[in-house]
């Protein structure tokens, strides 16, 4: 885990800052400030966003999300009396994905790691096929070589 995350998490727990935390990993250790037992009590989720306010250190707003659902819009607290600002995590992730050309970097034809249940993996491959079909400029058809001359 990058050092930045640990500094951010420490400031969220002990500092005056308000800090959203977003866990988009499907395996590994629990990373957000929300106690793990509390997070598990939320029920099944694949991804978790948590917001903690400086004025309410022991209160967490949690945003669990399943793989097949769009990421939620979360409330980012500002300094009082300013109202919260909504952050559409799905739109932000899609923008970063496009800007980083992740479609050309990640090997989506391979099974997910960690492995998904068979129905979830099939769904993921169908989503990838739909993405490729919607972006022919990024994925031109592979030309079939002519047959070899006799």
């Amino acid at each position: 885990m990058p050092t930045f995350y640990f500094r951010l998490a420490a400031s969220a727990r002990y500092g005056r800052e308000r800090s959203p935390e977003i866990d988009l990993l499907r395996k590994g250790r629990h990373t957000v400030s929300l106690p793990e037992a509390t997070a598990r009590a939320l029920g099944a989720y694949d991804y978790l966003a948590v917001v903690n306010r400086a004025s309410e250190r022991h209160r967490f707003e949690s945003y669990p999300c399943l793989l097949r659902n769009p990421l939620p819009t979360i409330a980012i607290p500002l300094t009082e009396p300013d109202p919260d600002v909504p952050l559409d995590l799905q739109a932000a992730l899609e923008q970063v994905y496009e800007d980083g050309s992740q479609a050309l970097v990640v090997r989506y034809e391979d099974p997910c790691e960690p492995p998904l249940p068979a129905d979830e993996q099939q769904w993921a491959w169908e989503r990838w096929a739909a993405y490729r079909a919607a972006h022919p400029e990024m994925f031109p058809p592979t030309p079939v070589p002519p047959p070899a001359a006799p």
Side-chain angles (χ1 to χ4, degrees):
M1 189 73 43
T3 305
F4 171 74
Y5 170 79
F6 288 114
R7 275 193 295 238
L8 180 64
S11 73
R13 287 188 191 108
Y14 308 114
R16 296 181 50 86
E17 295 85 4
R18 290 148 308 275
S19 177
E21 298 174 88
I22 305 162
D23 180 359
L24 298 177
L25 302 175
R26 293 186 304 109
K27 74 172 187 179
R29 68 185 188 83
H30 182 77
T31 60
V32 296
S33 296
L34 179 70
E36 188 170 1
T38 305
R40 290 188 189 281
L42 296 171
Y45 62 86
D46 294 304
Y47 309 118
L48 180 62
V50 174
V51 175
N52 182 250
R53 298 168 186 273
S55 61
E56 301 174 74
R57 269 291 142 229
H58 300 292
R59 181 174 168 259
F60 296 88
E61 295 164 21
S62 56
Y63 302 85
C65 187
L66 294 170
L67 175 68
R68 292 188 188 211
N69 297 340
L71 293 173
T73 296
I74 66 174
I76 303 297
L78 300 178
T79 304
E80 291 182 7
D82 294 329
D84 292 354
V85 174
L87 173 60
D88 183 339
L89 292 179
Q90 186 66 41
L93 180 66
E94 288 174 9
Q95 185 66 54
V96 169
Y97 183 86
E98 293 295 326
D99 290 349
S101 300
Q102 293 302 302
L104 302 175
V105 176
V106 179
R107 297 180 54 153
Y108 290 103
E109 291 81 12
D110 294 346
C112 290
E113 235 354 275
L116 291 170
D119 63 323
E120 295 280 326
Q121 183 62 66
Q122 184 61 39
W123 173 84
W125 279 329
E126 289 168 4
R127 296 282 301 181
W128 175 237
Y131 184 88
R132 287 178 60 100
H135 297 86
E137 73 285 359
M138 293 175 63
F139 308 100
T142 305
V144 177

